[in-house]
Amino acid sequence: MILHASSVAFGMGGALIFGQSGAGKSALALEMISRGAQMIADDRTKIASRHGDLWASPVSRTRGLIEVRGVGILHCPTLESARLVLVIDLDQEETDRLPPRRETCILNHALPVIHARNHPGIAAAALLWLAHGRAQ
């Protein structure tokens, strides 16, 4: 399955970044990469179910490339694949100060999801989540 999403990996696994065109998927991926994450894929991510987990990998056409609005297409080293542990949804805005645990289902796998539209600190928060998890 190929999804219209970017993806990065850090710490315990990968994050899938969803959003409509122009929502900031590549910008968020770039910000996370600048803070130590590794790119998996920009704009199109291949998803596969393996050994009870979801795995993300780049599509061959855009492997190693990231589009930066106002700059152009840049080369960026990519991982071959990473186990997905988080979804970041840039189309949904979080209204709760301490939101409940939310999940989304992809290929019959439930993954935690963060609603992140208009969230200025999402890159740092997502990296902490990927490195250390969410508190109970």
Side-chain angles (χ1 to χ4, degrees):
M1 160 186 268
I2 296 176
L3 295 176
H4 183 74
S6 294
S7 51
V8 298
F10 187 78
M12 296 185 292
L16 194 62
I17 306 168
F18 277 113
Q20 294 182 10
S21 182
K25 296 180 298 294
S26 298
L28 177 56
L30 184 66
E31 176 67 20
M32 292 173 75
I33 291 164
S34 77
R35 295 173 180 233
Q38 292 180 279
M39 186 171 84
I40 302 167
D42 182 46
D43 202 43
R44 299 266 189 261
T45 299
K46 189 183 309 181
I47 306 295
S49 177
R50 292 193 308 236
H51 310 293
D53 291 312
L54 280 183
W55 290 79
S57 59
V59 295
S60 58
R61 183 174 162 218
T62 57
R63 181 186 311 266
L65 301 173
I66 186 168
E67 179 185 342
V68 182
R69 284 184 188 256
V71 176
I73 298 174
L74 303 176
H75 291 281
C76 184
T78 60
L79 293 174
E80 276 303 308
S81 66
R83 183 176 61 90
L84 290 173
V85 297
L86 179 64
V87 172
I88 302 167
D89 186 342
L90 296 177
D91 290 335
Q92 302 295 320
E93 187 167 5
E94 185 53 68
T95 57
D96 293 334
R97 180 176 177 206
L98 297 172
R101 292 181 182 275
R102 293 190 171 92
E103 291 184 339
T104 190
C105 192
I106 302 170
L107 292 177
N108 295 319
H109 292 267
L111 289 172
V113 63
I114 299 173
H115 294 170
R117 190 178 80 209
N118 298 323
H119 190 306
I122 193 57
L127 289 173
L128 278 175
W129 183 311
L130 291 172
H132 305 290
R134 179 178 169 172
Q136 297 301 325

